[in-house]
């Protein structure tokens, strides 16, 4: 009887070890799969984008765009063009520049979502500060970039927080520079992301936020 129990116990222990090993291997395989998913998603992004000028973008909420534009003009920004970004699925974009303070802002329509972004770059270190009212992305910033997300806030609220965190060294920016600067910022960041590759942690963060949104 004792021999039978001992054999049974050894069998159960061996099965438990096997289950642990299978689970460990499974986790490694799933982690590797998520890494491949992250790399595939990053690799699918365009290396460069072009802001194509348009007369009137296909805004889904034109009244809201108009209201946000008024807030930006009140805060000292000047219109810097209306664009479509075909490489990003036809994202509609309104550009703005605060020339004297060297600040960029944009209103973007991505699908049914409307976002505002404020961007400033330190002229010495090239460090970038980005304030937005878009949802958290789950993506890790490069060491030279800081993103602050104030999801759902009005542009005036985001701007008020943004101007308290500006880089010290900023050059004046002409309104006509908006297009090229926006394109350069994309190129610089996507090059960094492709060189580094996606991460499992980013996939986990993104899927977690998607499940919470549902």
């Amino acid at each position: 009887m004792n021999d039978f129990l001992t054999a049974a116990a050894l069998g159960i222990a061996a099965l438990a070890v096997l289950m642990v090993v299978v689970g460990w291997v499974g986790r490694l395989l799933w982690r590797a799969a998520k890494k491949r998913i992250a790399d595939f998603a990053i690799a699918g992004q365009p290396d460069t984008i072009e802001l194509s000028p348009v007369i009137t973008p296909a805004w889904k909420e034109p009244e809201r765009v108009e209201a946000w534009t008024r807030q930006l003009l009140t805060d000292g920004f000047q219109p810097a063009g209306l664009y479509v970004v075909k490489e990003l699925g036809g994202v509609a974009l309104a550009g703005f520049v605060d020339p004297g303070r060297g600040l960029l802002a944009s209103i973007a329509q991505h699908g049914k979502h409307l976002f505002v972004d404020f961007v400033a770059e330190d002229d010495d270190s090239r460090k970038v500060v980005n304030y937005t009212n878009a949802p958290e992305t789950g993506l890790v910033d490069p060491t030279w970039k800081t993103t602050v997300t104030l999801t759902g806030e009005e542009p005036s609220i985001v701007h008020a927080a943004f101007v308290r965190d500006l880089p010290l060294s900023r050059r004046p920016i002409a309104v006509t520079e908006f297009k090229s600067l926006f394109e350069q910022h994309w190129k610089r960041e996507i090059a960094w992301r492709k060189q580094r590759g996606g991460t499992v942690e980013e996939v986990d963060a993104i899927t977690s936020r998607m499940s919470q949104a549902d």
Side-chain angles (χ1 to χ4, degrees), residues 5 11 15 20 36 79 87 94 96 99 101 110 113 151 167 176 196:
L5 291 175
L15 180 60
V20 169
R36 287 195 296 272
E87 296 86 352
F96 301 87
R101 293 190 294 173
H110 192 281
H113 302 292
T151 304
T176 53
R196 182 205 59 161

Side-chain angles (χ1 to χ4, degrees), residues 94 165 178 197:
D165 193 25
F178 175 85

Side-chain angles (χ1 to χ4, degrees), residues 46-70:
D47 293 333
T48 60
I49 60 171
E50 182 178 359
L51 274 59
S52 302
V54 294
I55 297 175
T56 305
W59 301 118
K60 290 184 171 56
E61 301 176 84
E63 297 84 3
R64 196 175 180 199
V65 172
E66 185 177 345
W68 284 13
T69 297
R70 286 197 298 269

Side-chain angles (χ1 to χ4, degrees), residues 49-136:
I49 60 171
E50 182 178 359
L51 274 59
S52 302
V54 294
I55 297 175
T56 305
W59 301 118
K60 290 184 171 56
E61 301 176 84
E63 297 84 3
R64 196 175 180 199
V65 172
E66 185 177 345
W68 284 13
T69 297
R70 286 197 298 269
Q71 291 185 39
L72 292 175
L73 298 180
T74 299
D75 287 331
F77 287 88
Q78 298 178 23
L82 300 172
Y83 308 91
V84 169
V85 188
K86 297 176 182 177
E87 296 86 352
L88 300 180
V91 167
L93 189 78
F96 301 87
V97 172
D98 183 331
R101 293 190 294 173
L103 309 178
L104 303 178
S106 63
I107 298 173
Q109 181 87 56
H110 192 281
K112 64 180 180 180
H113 302 292
L114 193 67
F115 309 128
V116 66
D117 279 85
F118 296 93
V119 174
E121 181 177 346
D122 188 285
D123 199 39
D124 293 330
S125 67
R126 294 199 66 203
K127 288 188 175 181
V128 174
V129 175
N130 178 197
Y131 272 64
T132 180
N133 65 355
E136 291 275 1

